[in-house]
């Protein structure tokens, strides 16, 4: 049996699989372009370059871009410490270039594609290497923004730049003043300011893509919770009692569609699922699917990093993959002991130390 839902074009319907038997099946489904994405990429001129393509989301975003716009060059840039990833990208028709995005000469030598997706950055380990965190999250963006002044740039950012919000108030709007906690969030705001500055100086259109949290069955908030439930680990609700989540395929599609929805001076857009989700409820739903009694303690925190995605929903429609499907898929994946990245999101870190 398949579930049927409207995709992000708001027009067509697509069948949702009940589960995924392999990474290959997962990635094939996750990178299917919707009609709306195909139309939006057809409406923008030029090729696409993805800077920092080797992260958790980059490979599937690059594959989706190539599937949606096979006539465009899609170029992925990274240091590529894992050669097999480079080979995989090339097997999907994505051109690859090895480069250090902290090296100005190497950045300036990259192909000047009309469309830039900036995904480079440093989060985990940030609290132990603040200097490199600031270099990756602010210096590299400055180099890229200057080198690609004649392009349109969609730069990945994070909802961590916002203050913790009252869980009854539907999350931060794009107009909510930033209030970053910890050097990671501060440096991410610095990243935004670099792109904003050069956008104003050079007239570079773009978007600041404030994302939290993408769900891939190999990592993400739902994977973190499901794996802890399965292991019998206690979950402290007093740390972070509510979250927003979005299927990674939907997040990637919205990032690429932002190329067609850039603003003359770059501007922020919140991206996540539209629901404010109780972690307590998520734990109970996952535990039912895993047939395990969860171990919870603490009172639900009354504030959390939450964003209001009304602007994105107006532009792109609701995400194509509903929460129930993400819960079903994640529980099945974890129950079967399938491959994981072993990179916790640390979504509950209220101090902002990652």
């Amino acid at each position: 049996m398949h579930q049927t839902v409207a995709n992000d074009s708001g027009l067509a319907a697509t069948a949702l699989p009940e589960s995924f038997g392999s990474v290959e099946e997962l990635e094939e489904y996750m990178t299917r372009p919707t009609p709306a994405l195909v139309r939006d990429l057809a409406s923008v001129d030029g090729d696409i370059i993805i800077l920092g393509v080797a992260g958790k989301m980059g490979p599937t975003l690059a594959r989706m871009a190539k599937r949606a716009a096979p006539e465009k060059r899609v170029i992925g840039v990274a240091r590529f410490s894992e050669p097999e990833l480079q080979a995989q990208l090339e097997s999907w028709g994505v051109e690859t270039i090895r480069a250090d995005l902290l090296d100005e000469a190497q950045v300036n030598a990259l192909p000047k594609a009309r469309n830039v997706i900036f995904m480079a950055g440093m989060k985990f380990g940030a609290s132990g290497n603040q200097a490199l965190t600031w270099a990756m999250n602010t210096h590299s963006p400055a180099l890229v923004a200057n080198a690609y002044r004649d392009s349109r740039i969609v730069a990945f950012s994070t909802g961590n730049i916002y203050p913790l919000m009252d869980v009854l108030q539907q999350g931060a709007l794009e107009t909510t003043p930033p209030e970053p906690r910890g050097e990671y969030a501060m440096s991410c705001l610095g990243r935004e300011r670099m792109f904003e500055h050069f956008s104003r100086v050079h007239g570079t259109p773009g978007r600041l893509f404030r994302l939290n949290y993408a769900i891939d069955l190999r990592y993400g908030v739902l994977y973190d919770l499901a794996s802890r439930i399965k292991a019998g680990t206690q979950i402290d609700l007093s740390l972070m009692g509510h979250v927003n989540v979005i299927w990674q395929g939907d997040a990637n599609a919205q990032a690429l569609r932002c190329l067609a929805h850039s603003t003359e001076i770059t501007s922020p857009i919140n991206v996540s699922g539209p629901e404010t989700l109780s972690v307590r409820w998520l734990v109970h739903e996952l535990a039912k699917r895993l047939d395990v009694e969860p171990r919870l303690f603490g009172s639900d925190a009354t504030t959390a990093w939450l964003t209001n995605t009304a602007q994105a929903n107006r532009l792109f429609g609701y995400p194509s993959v509903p929460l129930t499907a993400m819960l079903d898929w994640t529980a099945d994946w974890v129950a079967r002991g399938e491959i994981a990245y072993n990179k916790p999101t640390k979504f509950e870190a209220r101090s902002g130390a990652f």
Side-chain angles (χ1 to χ4, degrees):
M1 178 182 292
H2 289 79
Q3 295 171 285
T4 302
V5 296
N7 68 24
D8 72 353
S9 71
L11 299 175
T14 183
L16 294 173
E18 291 184 343
S19 62
F20 299 97
S22 64
V23 168
E24 291 73 24
E25 286 183 17
L26 170 63
E27 292 187 342
E28 192 284 326
Y29 179 80
M30 186 182 289
T31 60
R32 290 182 190 177
T34 63
L37 173 59
V38 172
R39 287 195 301 271
D40 273 353
L41 288 188
S43 74
V44 297
D45 61 304
D47 298 321
I48 301 169
I49 192 164
I50 302 161
L51 304 178
V53 75
K56 295 190 294 295
M57 295 180 67
T60 54
L61 183 144
R63 186 181 181 186
M64 177 180 280
K66 190 63 181 176
R67 294 179 74 177
E71 74 286 355
K72 295 183 187 292
R73 290 177 69 195
V74 177
I75 306 161
V77 178
R79 286 188 293 252
F80 288 114
S81 56
E82 301 175 4
E84 60 272 17
L85 174 58
Q86 190 172 8
Q88 184 179 50
L89 285 167
E90 290 176 352
S91 75
W92 292 335
V94 177
E95 300 174 40
T96 61
I97 298 174
R98 289 175 179 262
D100 181 354
L101 296 176
L102 287 173
D103 186 308
E104 185 173 7
Q106 292 185 48
V107 170
N108 289 336
L110 292 171
K112 294 300 184 284
R114 187 74 177 87
N115 303 288
V116 178
I117 304 289
F118 184 86
M119 305 184 79
M122 181 171 176
K123 178 178 182 180
F124 301 115
S127 58
N129 196 341
Q130 290 92 340
L132 180 59
T133 299
W134 281 91
M136 282 301 304
N137 292 346
T138 61
H139 178 58
S140 176
L143 297 179
V144 168
N146 192 53
Y148 285 92
R149 63 182 67 183
D150 297 322
S151 302
R152 56 180 70 87
I153 303 174
V154 174
F156 271 64
S157 188
T158 172
N160 287 122
I161 61 107
Y162 290 122
L164 292 164
M165 302 295 292
D166 186 323
V167 300
L168 300 179
Q169 293 185 2
Q170 199 55 37
L173 292 164
E174 287 84 356
T175 53
T176 300
E179 195 176 305
R181 288 189 173 201
E183 293 206 37
Y184 164 69
M186 292 178 194
S187 68
C188 289
L189 181 58
R191 175 201 291 146
E192 290 195 6
R193 295 304 191 216
M194 291 299 99
F195 281 114
E196 181 185 1
H197 168 71
F198 285 98
S199 176
R200 292 183 181 279
V201 170
H202 301 305
T204 307
R207 280 290 194 167
L208 304 170
F209 194 78
R210 292 175 177 170
L211 172 66
N212 60 306
Y213 289 95
I215 298 299
D216 176 323
L217 305 187
R218 295 162 290 187
Y219 81 95
V221 172
L222 299 185
Y223 178 87
D224 290 351
L225 293 174
S227 59
R228 292 174 196 175
I229 294 164
K230 183 183 177 185
T233 303
Q234 283 193 322
I235 297 170
D236 185 356
L237 297 173
S238 68
L239 296 176
M240 199 69 68
H242 293 78
V243 292
N244 304 126
V245 301
I246 185 171
W247 178 241
Q248 182 170 300
D250 284 317
N252 282 341
Q254 290 190 19
L256 290 165
R257 292 185 67 189
C258 277
L259 292 168
H261 297 275
S262 296
T263 52
E264 185 174 347
I265 300 301
T266 194
S267 61
I269 184 167
N270 294 336
V271 177
S272 193
E275 307 94 348
T276 295
L277 301 170
S278 158
V279 173
R280 182 185 298 275
W281 181 82
L282 290 173
V283 167
H284 282 293
E285 288 297 308
L286 288 165
K288 281 194 298 185
R289 290 162 170 81
L290 290 165
D291 195 23
V292 175
E293 189 65 31
R295 301 178 64 203
L296 295 168
F297 70 100
S299 299
D300 299 22
T302 59
T303 59
W305 273 303
L306 298 168
T307 55
N308 184 314
T309 59
Q311 181 186 164
N313 293 336
R314 178 178 60 81
L315 286 174
F316 307 127
Y318 271 38
S320 67
V321 174
L323 176 62
T324 51
M326 287 186 271
L327 290 167
D328 291 343
W329 295 342
T330 302
D332 174 76
W333 192 266
V334 169
R336 291 189 284 117
E338 293 288 349
I339 189 170
Y341 287 150
N342 295 317
K343 294 181 178 179
T345 59
K346 299 186 180 180
F347 73 94
E348 67 275 43
R350 296 179 71 85
S351 66
F354 299 102

